[in-house]
Amino acid sequence: MPAPERPSAAPKFFVPGDAVPENAYSELAAGMRTATGIPVITAGRILDADTAEHALRDQGVDFVAMTRALIADPDLPRKLLTGGRPRPCISINEGCIGRLYSGMPMECSINPAIRNAELGDGAAAGTTADGAAAGTTADGGVREHVVVVGGGVAGAEAARRAARRGHRVTLLEEQPRLGGRARTADLRRGRQRWDLYLDWLGAELRDLGVDLRLGAPATPDIVAGLAPDSVVLATGSRPRRSSWHGSDVAVADADDVIVAPPVPHGTGTVTIIDPEGGFTAAEALVGAGWTVRTITDLPYVAAKVDPTQVWFVRRRLKKAGVDLQGQVELIRDSEGWGLLDLESDERQAIAAPDLIVLAGARTARDDLFRTLVEALPHTPVRRVGDTRAPRGLRDAVSEGAAAGNTGRFREGRPESQSGVTLTGGS
Ligand code: SF4
């Protein structure tokens, strides 16, 4: 096992995230046990039962602490005893420990019940006397046919929750796999646990009998042909056009360069513009041979990353040779290319980039919403996740869960039909 990375200049908070190997400290703890004879308890990315058993049986620790595993799924012990399927922690800290150390209440990015008990899984239909077999949902409501368009995390959570409640659910996903943009996350070194969560969602949907149609694009006619009682739209987002598009410099979207990094051309210099960091794209481009500069208008690159992760993120980028510049804006004027310091207005001349990569600038992919609202005037249609407004994993999961749990599928009608605006929430 590779030795855990030890910060040379310790970050303010140290809770090992995905930059540190799983089961990071059991060997060290076992060594202390041997040296002192005192029972030891170890913690640090022990995220599943097999790892815990390995630490206890093979590595010689006396107890294990599974903090984040139990935040992601407080029912983990019961599920392990009964052969259930625990929700796997993805170990990026942003929803739980990261928020805690930022002075905010602890949540969980993939388990919205930690923030709001109403967003818990609740009893599944069929576990109550009035279950789906009687034509009602777990809470006694009318069983509906719910069509979910989009199989990213928001759509998959909505489908899962609706199916658990006893609704008949059809999910249309245009790609051959569930997961949407979250599938690109696991391409970053250390983030392979994202796939565990996405695969967990898929397994849950299959067990719940969701009619899962992969590689199935959705048009208004196709959705209408399914005769839905309600529709959840989770079609995600797309890159937003910028003023750099259409210029004589190549412009690419961060997701595209992560999946298929281009071959360097010209001098091989790329500028990544990202309010939040563009970490994975930067590493992918360095790996492809580019000289990478990442800029942001925030005070520093990765300023929005939580205190437990930011040191690791910036360190990895710096060690990869990425030039990190905060509080600057890329400009091109009569003097040529430059970086404008947003505090001092000073201009730093730079060589022309051969490629500009845009990360974090996205817009909702909600074209289907208006046409569906018109085509199905009596059918509730609700947007969730990035389809409502591009944001992060936590919002996508909790909005999907809320739609599927509450059954409040109606988002809005055109004002002319109902007096409710299209953008109003339920
Ligand atoms: S927020 Fe992330 S790291 Fe924390 S418990 Fe949830 S999945 Fe795990």
Side-chain angles (χ1 to χ4, degrees):
M1 185 186 84
E5 187 166 21
R6 292 179 183 78
S8 52
K12 189 174 177 189
F13 301 109
F14 189 79
V15 179
D18 58 14
V20 173
E22 291 185 32
N23 190 19
Y25 304 120
S26 289
E27 278 186 15
L28 296 173
M32 293 169 70
R33 174 80 164 92
T34 303
T36 64
I38 298 172
V40 292
I41 180 168
T42 184
R45 297 202 73 203
I46 298 175
L47 298 166
D48 55 54
D50 288 345
T51 307
E53 285 291 341
H54 172 62
L56 292 166
R57 286 196 178 145
D58 307 328
Q59 294 183 292
V61 302
D62 299 279
F63 305 94
V64 292
M66 301 173 70
T67 313
R68 283 165 287 181
L70 283 162
I71 297 171
D73 196 336
D75 282 339
L76 181 139
R78 184 180 58 78
K79 288 181 178 175
L80 291 178
L81 277 174
T82 59
R85 182 184 294 116
R87 181 189 283 104
C89 167
I90 59 173
S91 201
I92 58 169
N93 286 3
E94 66 145 25
C96 57
I97 311 291
R99 283 176 57 86
L100 208 57
Y101 288 165
S102 302
M104 294 183 281
M106 188 185 74
E107 300 180 4
C108 174
S109 300
I110 62 166
N111 184 357
I114 301 300
R115 171 169 62 92
N116 179 352
E118 287 186 8
L119 297 180
D121 280 346
T127 62
T128 66
D130 299 324
T136 60
T137 61
D139 52 8
V142 176
R143 190 174 189 237
E144 293 187 346
H145 180 203
V146 181
V147 171
V148 178
V149 182
V153 291
E157 268 296 354
R160 174 176 169 273
R161 304 302 184 109
R164 274 183 65 86
R165 292 179 62 236
H167 292 299
R168 179 162 77 90
V169 180
T170 303
L171 188 151
L172 305 174
E173 165 55 46
E174 63 184 1
Q175 298 299 321
R177 297 175 80 191
L178 288 173
R181 289 188 70 221
R183 283 285 179 197
T184 62
D186 87 311
L187 297 176
R188 180 172 165 80
R189 179 163 49 94
R191 291 224 159 150
Q192 287 71 25
R193 289 195 66 85
W194 282 63
D195 261 1
L196 294 182
Y197 169 56
L198 301 176
D199 292 345
W200 176 85
L201 282 171
E204 291 275 297
L205 296 183
R206 288 183 187 92
D207 279 3
L208 288 162
V210 171
D211 181 359
L212 207 50
R213 303 188 187 185
L214 302 178
T219 64
D221 285 347
I222 289 172
V223 175
L226 293 168
D229 295 305
S230 55
V231 177
V232 176
L233 267 190
T235 42
S237 62
R238 63 166 65 93
R240 199 166 52 211
R241 273 190 72 80
S242 79
S243 56
W244 299 112
H245 285 95
S247 71
D248 56 355
V249 180
V251 179
D253 175 56
D255 281 8
D256 293 337
V257 304
I258 291 168
V259 173
V263 175
H265 60 268
T267 59
T269 59
V270 54
T271 295
I272 300 176
I273 303 174
D274 185 359
E276 311 221 348
F279 325 127
T280 311
E283 290 183 2
L285 288 163
V286 167
W290 290 86
T291 300
V292 181
R293 170 189 292 124
T294 297
I295 67 169
T296 178
D297 54 6
L298 294 175
Y300 54 91
V301 170
K304 288 192 175 177
V305 175
D306 76 75
T308 70
Q309 300 292 305
V310 64
W311 182 88
F312 292 99
V313 167
R314 287 179 56 86
R315 173 184 171 87
R316 244 168 77 167
L317 292 172
K318 284 187 172 180
K319 283 193 166 281
V322 179
D323 176 19
L324 307 178
Q325 302 233 14
Q327 214 132 37
V328 296
E329 184 180 297
L330 182 68
I331 56 171
R332 188 184 192 186
D333 54 22
S334 56
E335 297 176 45
W337 289 88
L339 294 178
L340 179 67
D341 186 311
L342 296 174
E343 288 174 320
S344 67
D345 292 340
E346 284 182 12
R347 183 186 192 288
Q348 171 196 347
I350 61 168
D354 299 299
L355 175 65
I356 295 174
V357 171
L358 302 173
R362 304 189 68 82
T363 188
R365 190 167 168 244
D366 60 355
D367 320 27
L368 204 52
F369 179 65
R370 189 172 291 271
T371 48
L372 273 181
V373 166
E374 300 292 344
L376 300 169
H378 305 296
T379 306
V381 180
R382 177 166 173 168
R383 292 168 292 184
V384 294
D386 277 13
T387 317
R388 195 175 180 91
R391 285 151 299 154
L393 175 66
R394 205 157 31 97
D395 295 301
V397 175
S398 58
E399 283 181 15
N405 262 23
T406 62
R408 289 197 294 269
F409 298 112
R410 183 178 299 277
E411 179 183 347
R413 300 274 112 197
E415 199 156 356
S416 60
Q417 292 181 31
S418 67
V420 181
T421 64
L422 275 172
T423 52
S426 58

